Amino acid sequence: METVLLFFTLAAATSAYLLWFSLLARKLTGPTAWPLVGSLPYLYLNRRRIHDWISGNLQTTGGAATYQTCTIAIPFLAKKQGFYTVTCHPKNIEHILRTRFDNYPKGPTWQTAFHDLLGQGIFNSDGETWLIQRKTAALEFTTRTLRQAMNRWVNRTVRTRLWVILEKAALDRTPVDLQDLLLRLTFDNICGLTFGKDPETLSPGLPENPFAVAFDSATEATLQRLLYPGFLWRVKNFLDVGAEKRLRKSLQIVEEYMSGALEARKEAPSDDLLSRFMKKRDADGNPFPSSVLKRIALNFVLAGRDTSSVALSWFFWMVMSTRRVEERIVEEISAVLAESRGAHVGKWVEEPLTFDEADRLVYLKAALAETLRLYPSVPEDFKYVVADDVLPDGSVVPAGSTVTYSIYSMGRMGSVWGEDCEDFRPERWLSPAGDSFQPPKDGYRFVAFNGGPRTCLGKDLAYLQMKAVAAAVLLRYRLTLQPGHRVEQKMSLTLFMRNGLRVYLKPRDLVAPPKAAVSA
Ligand code: HEM
Ligand SMILES: *[C@@H]1O[C@H](CO)[C@@H](O)[C@H](O)[C@H]1NC(C)=O
């Protein structure tokens, strides 16, 4: 008797679930969803090409090339509805980032996950807390002093360390992992810029640096919190095991290092961001306490570290595979340097770019922007929905859900960038005469630096740094991929290369441009 009852209860529950599911499935526009597991099997099968998978779904959604929005059912993780809304529609993205900015904050999931590492810093806060820091920081980022400071740090790392390492590798004919070198270089630069201390992680022999290792491991452990349902990390945190234990230990090391840096700056202020924030007063007229200053600095380190090195890695890879672009870049730099330093080629590779020289490199800037269009350092981004809303393309997003926008997919939509969207073609960023950089008029077709009130503060600094490094490498060397090396994307919030970028360096023979080109 009891088994019969149990059987009927189960059958009723199953039918109710299947009915609910078929209603849900009708609303879904993305990949096929299965009962209980949703689209997880596809996600799993595509785990090594996740961004291309998302992009493929967005291209085929609803059968119409202009939809650019779809839903992906992931049970448990997408708590509110059981599925995620993913979009790369420029109008939707403008709506989220600018028009209805207040309705789309980072939100509680993101903030709690990052809280231990970033506190209430600019990168991890919303509302008033964010606005005060944004205003203060925005003032600093418009000054020329900060650009000068960045240029000094780049100049130093390139001359005394990057060139030394590359020269040795070229002489010995050994390959280098360019991504690793670049990660170290930008980490050193951002630490210098933020708190005036260069940890010299880029040095011959590539030493392990406890602060850098701890910072990496804290970021990695924090990201894990976002990948799994929230209760999992809370349990681990309570028990102090696994990633949570690593996080706690790494944070201790990071804290100590930052305390040291803060003390040093108190004794000898300089032109770094921390020294500037030390002079500021909060809303009540008090200086920021040490604990807050340390968090502020860490937020800038996180915001500005991997993004430019990852972009540079993809840039070098694209340049290696498109020799036409490489030649034009080298020609442009040569022409600019011939004018500022004279026709003697030796002078061009003696010193990194000054920033007036960097400012004149429009084709190089176009090639960097084109790289970020195809390989945005932040490939997917998420916002929390405060109140029920309808996106410009008609997609409904309920309060409490998450909306994902795919920056990566945006660059690969024929309907947004034209039929040749997959081609690496810097020319699309130039004015018709080819002599100035001209981003698309509809700014929300390119959001690698975000848009609206939360636009990346470091964009100009990043271009300056990337140009200087690109020129420093390309003027001296031709790069070739180490045979057999596979360039693949890593599944992470930042678009790293999973296996790095292993290249051989061959000294480049530069030629002075003919006189006519110099005076042109
Ligand atoms: C190629 C290099 C870079 C790229 C692609 C990039 C991209 C981005 C993106 C997508 C965001 C928005 C993140 C979000 O809120 O979801 C952002 C924010 C930010 N970036 Fe960058 N970034 C780069 C370099 C830098 C550098 C070098 C710095 C610092 C010197 C920096 C400082 C910041 C800050 C402070 C924010 C937070 C702005 C706010 O929330 O108000 N970035 N960046
Ligand atoms: C780089 O540093 C060297 C040595 O301090 C200096 O002579 C040179 O002018 C600097 N170059 C730039 C572009 O700042």
Side-chain angles (χ1 to χ4, degrees), residues 43 46-55 380 491:
L43 185 72
N46 287 284
R47 67 190 178 285
R48 296 201 132 215
R49 52 181 296 276
I50 197 85
H51 306 301
D52 285 313
W53 179 65
I54 291 176
S55 160
E380 326 281 341
M491 185 178 141

Side-chain angles (χ1 to χ4, degrees), residues 148 151-152 154-156 159 341 351-355 357:
Q148 256 148 359
N151 211 40
R152 260 207 328 279
V154 178
N155 181 13
R156 216 180 78 167
R159 264 186 319 110
R341 303 183 185 184
E351 289 284 341
L353 300 179
T354 65
F355 69 59
E357 287 164 345

Side-chain angles (χ1 to χ4, degrees), residues 202 365 452 477:
L202 180 74
K365 182 169 184 184
Y477 303 104

Side-chain angles (χ1 to χ4, degrees), residues 281-293:
R281 297 290 176 267
D282 64 14
D284 307 322
N286 300 316
F288 293 113
S290 295
S291 55
V292 173
L293 284 171

Side-chain angles (χ1 to χ4, degrees), residues 393-408:
D393 73 350
S395 308
V396 176
V397 286
S401 66
T402 302
V403 50
T404 303
Y405 57 100
S406 178
I407 308 168
Y408 183 89

Side-chain angles (χ1 to χ4, degrees), residues 48 177 179 485-488 497-502:
R48 296 201 132 215
D177 177 0
Q179 178 177 255
H485 178 78
R486 288 181 56 149
V487 171
E488 284 171 15
M497 292 178 176
R498 183 200 308 277
N499 316 311
L501 180 64
R502 301 194 61 85

Side-chain angles (χ1 to χ4, degrees), residues 2-17:
E2 264 181 18
T3 39
V4 175
L5 197 64
L6 187 68
F7 174 78
F8 278 109
T9 317
L10 273 179
T14 314
S15 339
Y17 174 80

Side-chain angles (χ1 to χ4, degrees), residues 21 24-26 28-42 71-75 82-83:
F21 181 81
L24 172 80
R26 252 189 251 165
L28 297 175
T29 55
T32 311
W34 302 90
L36 288 178
V37 293
S39 299
L40 266 180
Y42 298 107
T71 51
I72 299 183
I74 309 288
F83 60 81

